Amino acid sequence: MKKLMLLAFVFTAFGMNAQTAAFGIKGGLNYGATGEYESFAMASEDFQSSFEDGENKTGFHAGLFAQFQILGFSIRPELMYTQLNTEYSNFDYKVTKLDAPVLLGVNVLGPLNIKVGPAFQYVLKNELENSQLSIGQVDKEITVGYQAGAGVQFGRIGIDLRYEGAFDENTARGGDMAADSGFTVDSRPSQWIVSLAYTL
């Protein structure tokens, strides 16, 4: 959380020197999944494991953004509350997180723009649904991924389509009970994001 606060402070100070600045709200839907589910057990004297990819499901996001125009480019820090859902054969997995992407953008044709940049993620909660199993905390509460995509701007209204991915695996392990100890889930996101934004 301290890193996210520092990031917000840096870009607020940076914005004071920008040629123009705008602020707004945004929200929308995300469609994707987390990484592999691995289950493992001892069979006789052999260690056996199996892997399963998650099925894509729909989640949502909502939050705030700022946008600073400098030398024909835009710098756009955002702070978003995001819920990412994934379906596995034994349970549904839900990750709730704060996303703080910082995107460099440029207008390419009329209202069309493209954006790309790092996305800082702070995991608030990860939990299983439709299962009697439980899960522990992720290895890293704060991770860095990326977002890239395109958008259109019509006056105060903006529409974005982005892809979000992660650089490193971030494992969530089974909970403290013995029955929960034989599995892990890679919690890093792989999702498409559709957003509607309004500039105040």
Side-chain angles (χ1 to χ4, degrees), residues 28-85:
L29 300 176
N30 29 283
Y31 181 73
T34 48
E36 281 186 333
Y37 160 66
E38 178 184 7
S39 60
F40 43 87
M42 292 294 295
S44 299
E45 296 182 356
D46 296 327
F47 178 80
Q48 296 183 348
S49 63
S50 61
F51 299 88
E52 176 188 351
D53 290 327
E55 295 292 330
N56 294 334
K57 292 189 70 176
T58 301
F60 68 89
H61 60 277
L64 309 169
F65 70 88
Q67 184 157 304
F68 310 114
Q69 299 292 334
I70 301 177
L71 301 177
F73 294 90
S74 66
I75 303 293
R76 185 174 174 126
E78 301 177 349
L79 184 61
M80 310 300 299
Y81 177 89
T82 300
Q83 185 180 104
L84 173 63
N85 301 310

Side-chain angles (χ1 to χ4, degrees), residues 52-132:
E52 176 188 351
D53 290 327
E55 295 292 330
N56 294 334
K57 292 189 70 176
T58 301
F60 68 89
H61 60 277
L64 309 169
F65 70 88
Q67 184 157 304
F68 310 114
Q69 299 292 334
I70 301 177
L71 301 177
F73 294 90
S74 66
I75 303 293
R76 185 174 174 126
E78 301 177 349
L79 184 61
M80 310 300 299
Y81 177 89
T82 300
Q83 185 180 104
L84 173 63
N85 301 310
T86 308
E87 181 179 347
Y88 296 96
S89 59
N90 294 329
F91 48 75
D92 290 340
Y93 180 49
K94 181 169 70 175
V95 177
T96 304
K97 59 196 179 89
L98 288 178
D99 284 330
V102 182
L103 306 179
L104 176 67
V106 62
N107 292 331
V108 292
L109 181 64
L112 179 65
N113 59 77
I114 56 174
K115 303 181 184 75
V116 64
F120 302 88
Q121 302 161 8
Y122 178 76
V123 177
L124 298 171
K125 182 188 293 185
N126 72 119
E127 56 190 337
L128 305 183
E129 296 182 334
N130 303 319
S131 175
Q132 295 183 353

Side-chain angles (χ1 to χ4, degrees), residues 92-188:
D92 290 340
Y93 180 49
K94 181 169 70 175
V95 177
T96 304
K97 59 196 179 89
L98 288 178
D99 284 330
V102 182
L103 306 179
L104 176 67
V106 62
N107 292 331
V108 292
L109 181 64
L112 179 65
N113 59 77
I114 56 174
K115 303 181 184 75
V116 64
F120 302 88
Q121 302 161 8
Y122 178 76
V123 177
L124 298 171
K125 182 188 293 185
N126 72 119
E127 56 190 337
L128 305 183
E129 296 182 334
N130 303 319
S131 175
Q132 295 183 353
L133 298 174
S134 65
I135 197 163
Q137 296 299 311
V138 294
D139 285 348
K140 295 173 285 188
E141 290 185 335
I142 297 177
T143 59
V144 181
Y146 60 90
Q147 290 186 8
V152 289
Q153 189 73 32
F154 303 105
R156 294 181 178 271
I157 303 297
I159 302 172
D160 272 353
L161 174 63
R162 303 177 192 170
Y163 177 78
E164 180 184 58
F167 296 118
D168 297 317
E169 185 173 309
N170 191 19
T171 301
R173 307 178 191 281
D176 295 332
M177 301 297 292
D180 302 329
S181 61
F183 72 94
T184 63
V185 181
D186 180 4
S187 69
R188 59 182 162 178

Side-chain angles (χ1 to χ4, degrees), residues 21-26 63-66 153 155-157 197-200:
F23 304 88
I25 58 176
K26 62 175 291 188
L64 309 169
F65 70 88
Q153 189 73 32
R156 294 181 178 271
I157 303 297
Y198 180 77
T199 303
L200 300 175

